[in-house]
Amino acid sequence: MKKLQLLLLGIFGLMTVSFAQSKGVKTETIPTPTVQCEMCKEKIEKYLSRVDGIMTVKVDYKKKQATVKYFTDRTNIEEIKTHIANVGYDAGDVKADEEAYKKLPSCCKKPE
């Protein structure tokens, strides 16, 4: 009986911890209309993977969007958009940093 009580207490404790961890997690999809190729995808994913609070990043250059999972107590969607813009790409309503855009390889620039 005591073992059963300990087992139930352990399961309840694990459920509480997992709920507390997922409470401050959010997933957002950001339009990235200037993403052109696989290199663009890799640049954004590599850069954002180093940003504190971001758990996962998946860029779909064919759909021209980035899906980001992040901790809401460490970052927010506007900061994430700014980070993408700092790499040289438009992110939703935030325009790409002009200097960063100039440094992109020609395949990553939108056709003019």
Side-chain angles (χ1 to χ4, degrees):
M1 185 68 172
K2 210 172 201 180
K3 288 182 181 181
L4 180 61
Q5 288 176 335
L6 286 174
L7 179 64
L8 290 175
L9 183 62
I11 291 171
F12 179 74
L14 287 174
M15 288 176 25
T16 303
V17 169
S18 67
F19 176 74
Q21 288 178 344
S22 66
K23 190 169 134 183
V25 175
K26 195 168 186 181
T27 302
E28 296 267 355
T29 300
I30 304 166
T32 52
T34 55
V35 170
Q36 303 294 317
C37 63
E38 186 71 29
M39 192 180 298
C40 299
K41 169 187 167 29
E42 291 172 10
K43 269 182 149 347
I44 294 171
E45 288 178 351
K46 184 177 179 181
Y47 186 83
L48 289 183
S49 69
R50 292 182 268 169
V51 174
D52 183 43
I54 295 181
M55 297 170 62
T56 61
V57 183
K58 297 225 186 319
V59 177
D60 186 334
Y61 66 90
K62 291 179 182 175
K63 292 183 180 178
K64 298 194 180 287
Q65 64 185 24
T67 304
V68 184
K69 187 174 183 180
Y70 62 96
F71 292 106
T72 56
D73 61 338
R74 294 191 206 162
T75 191
N76 60 56
I77 193 65
E78 292 307 314
E79 286 181 12
I80 295 169
K81 288 179 186 178
T82 302
H83 285 297
I84 294 171
N86 289 341
V87 180
Y89 302 94
D90 292 348
D93 57 344
V94 179
K95 295 294 176 195
D97 177 75
E98 198 172 311
E99 291 301 312
Y101 179 78
K102 288 178 184 176
K103 293 178 183 177
L104 292 176
S106 60
C107 66
C108 293
K109 295 180 182 176
K110 56 187 173 187
E112 304 207 18

